[in-house]
Amino acid sequence: MKPKTINSLMAYLRKNKGIAINGSIQKKKLRYMGYFHGYKGYRYCGSPSDKLPFKDFNEIQAVYDFDMALKAIMYPQIMFLETTLKNYALECTIDYCKNENFAHVFTNCLTEYKAHPIGSGKYNDAMTKRLKFREHVYNTISRNNKRSLVAHYYNKDKPVPIWSIFEMISFGEFGSFLECLNQEIRTDLSKAIGIKISDDSNGKMPVIIVFSLIDLRNAIAHNATIFDTRFKSSKISNRISAYIEKEAHIKNITFDSIVDYIILISFLLKILKCNKKDIMGFIADFEKACENLYKKVPANIYMKIVYSDTRNKLLLLKRYI
């Protein structure tokens, strides 16, 4: 079977999919977008069985542009939150154990397993997570032993400090670190972030926050499709939804729509006491992206992507900010 050329792909879209596409400009746009990453990725919303009723290539381009705009809007905020949460966790951890040595932190801080009866299922699960995290850390150090962050300590025969390890571990591994922390440190971290202790007595909210953001963060970093939240690999804890609803009075936060992630990011920026003008600008950028999409696609496509409660949610979010 011969590989399909861009011309044959355009002909296929016209003949087999009923999509109007012609001319050198649209050919160039299809080539930039990519048939498999572009058309194949944007022809449906949520599930491959839920096809978007495209009639014109410009509609596909509009959804693609909307998705790219979302990534451009959200990437700086996600990176900021990742860095900030790591910094807060590092500060709380070192303040507790008074030592930067990872081995010391591992022994004295990553002790969540002790909160459960020895031999119980929860004890074994917590211990397994703890040991897996240590293995990840040592593997990461081994892979990066020539980087200046690590080599500096290796060459002096000194242990690599926890802050240096934080520079190398992924956001997911950072989430595992938080899971393994003892409750006292987690509670201190929760308070430092701005979570009300009355709503997070066991200090689990920072863990929930990180795992709520991981799939989105990775999808954006790898340029995967995000407009329909297909990146979500597991159900997000109802605790974060309930907390936002209680504080911001925004209901029906299910994370099935991208607006709920806009709300989550804005909420976190708010409790971290970030500049209100900047948060409002972030929300306004999202509104503008939605408006641009609305102008370029039929209503039946728009309503599949931007849920009917989006405008009301954003109104309540701005009121909260």
Side-chain angles (χ1 to χ4, degrees):
M1 182 177 178
K2 292 182 179 180
K4 293 181 179 180
T5 64
I6 195 72
N7 289 328
S8 65
L9 289 172
M10 290 173 71
Y12 175 78
L13 289 175
R14 287 193 298 268
K15 182 178 179 181
N16 295 74
K17 300 299 180 180
I19 296 173
I21 178 169
N22 287 285
S24 60
I25 293 177
Q26 291 191 332
K27 179 191 291 187
K28 185 183 293 183
K29 287 182 177 179
L30 178 61
R31 182 175 282 124
Y32 289 161
M33 181 190 304
Y35 176 78
F36 295 100
H37 173 73
Y39 169 70
K40 287 283 189 179
Y42 293 93
R43 62 179 173 168
Y44 68 88
C45 183
S47 168
S49 62
D50 190 8
K51 300 291 193 299
L52 291 168
F54 292 126
K55 296 297 182 184
D56 190 285
F57 176 75
N58 287 330
E59 297 166 1
I60 303 173
Q61 183 69 46
V63 175
Y64 173 82
D65 290 342
F66 176 65
D67 193 67
M68 295 300 288
L70 291 177
K71 282 179 272 198
I73 292 165
M74 300 173 87
Y75 181 78
Q77 311 301 336
I78 290 287
M79 292 298 103
F80 169 79
L81 289 173
E82 177 175 347
T83 301
T84 301
L85 291 172
K86 281 185 174 181
N87 288 341
Y88 272 105
L90 186 63
E91 184 178 339
C92 290
T93 301
I94 293 177
D95 186 59
Y96 176 87
C97 69
K98 313 298 182 188
N99 195 310
E100 296 182 352
N101 187 328
F102 172 71
H104 187 89
V105 170
F106 179 80
T107 301
N108 296 282
C109 301
L110 303 186
T111 55
E112 166 61 13
Y113 68 97
K114 292 183 179 181
H116 311 290
I118 295 175
S120 67
K122 289 185 177 181
Y123 177 95
N124 292 334
D125 288 344
M127 178 61 80
T128 298
K129 287 178 182 178
R130 179 175 184 258
L131 295 176
K132 282 185 176 180
F133 177 74
R134 183 175 65 177
E135 182 180 0
H136 279 306
V137 167
Y138 288 147
N139 286 338
T140 299
I141 291 173
S142 178
R143 289 194 307 270
N144 292 275
N145 61 42
K146 293 183 179 179
R147 286 180 57 183
S148 57
L149 275 174
V150 176
H152 172 77
Y153 296 97
Y154 265 29
N155 293 338
K156 294 186 176 182
D157 199 26
K158 292 183 177 180
V160 180
I162 185 66
W163 61 263
S164 180
I165 289 167
F166 265 37
E167 292 288 328
M168 296 182 286
I169 61 174
S170 70
F171 199 38
E173 288 165 352
F174 170 63
S176 298
F177 172 84
L178 296 184
E179 279 190 303
C180 297
L181 281 175
N182 65 45
Q183 183 174 322
E184 184 175 347
I185 303 175
R186 291 199 317 269
T187 302
D188 288 343
L189 174 59
S190 185
K191 184 178 179 180
I193 290 171
I195 301 292
K196 294 180 179 178
I197 299 304
S198 58
D199 293 289
D200 189 30
S201 58
N202 63 1
K204 289 292 182 69
M205 198 68 79
V207 179
I208 292 170
I209 288 170
V210 169
F211 284 116
S212 297
L213 292 171
I214 283 175
D215 287 337
L216 173 61
R217 182 254 186 236
N218 291 341
I220 292 174
H222 296 287
N223 197 29
T225 305
I226 68 168
F227 76 92
D228 56 358
T229 72
R230 69 182 67 174
F231 55 81
K232 189 171 58 172
S233 62
S234 59
K235 189 177 185 301
I236 292 176
S237 172
N238 290 330
R239 281 188 60 185
I240 188 64
S241 301
Y243 187 56
I244 294 173
E245 180 175 339
K246 175 178 176 290
E247 294 294 311
H249 307 291
I250 304 172
K251 296 182 179 180
N252 194 35
I253 298 176
T254 62
F255 296 101
D256 292 330
S257 172
I258 197 65
V259 69
D260 292 346
Y261 285 91
I262 296 293
I263 292 170
L264 172 61
I265 292 170
S266 301
F267 179 80
L268 294 174
L269 295 174
K270 162 80 171 177
I271 64 174
L272 285 165
K273 295 182 171 55
C274 294
N275 186 283
K276 291 181 181 180
K277 184 178 179 181
D278 292 340
I279 304 173
M280 294 295 280
F282 168 66
I283 299 168
D285 287 341
F286 174 71
E287 290 178 312
K288 184 178 180 181
C290 291
E291 289 171 8
N292 288 338
L293 178 67
Y294 180 77
K295 294 175 183 177
K296 296 177 181 179
V297 298
N300 58 339
I301 292 178
Y302 181 81
M303 295 305 292
K304 274 182 171 288
I305 297 171
V306 181
Y307 288 13
S308 59
D309 62 355
T310 296
R311 180 173 293 183
N312 186 56
K313 282 183 172 180
L314 292 176
L315 179 64
L316 294 171
L317 176 62
K318 288 187 286 187
R319 187 177 299 168
Y320 167 68
I321 299 301

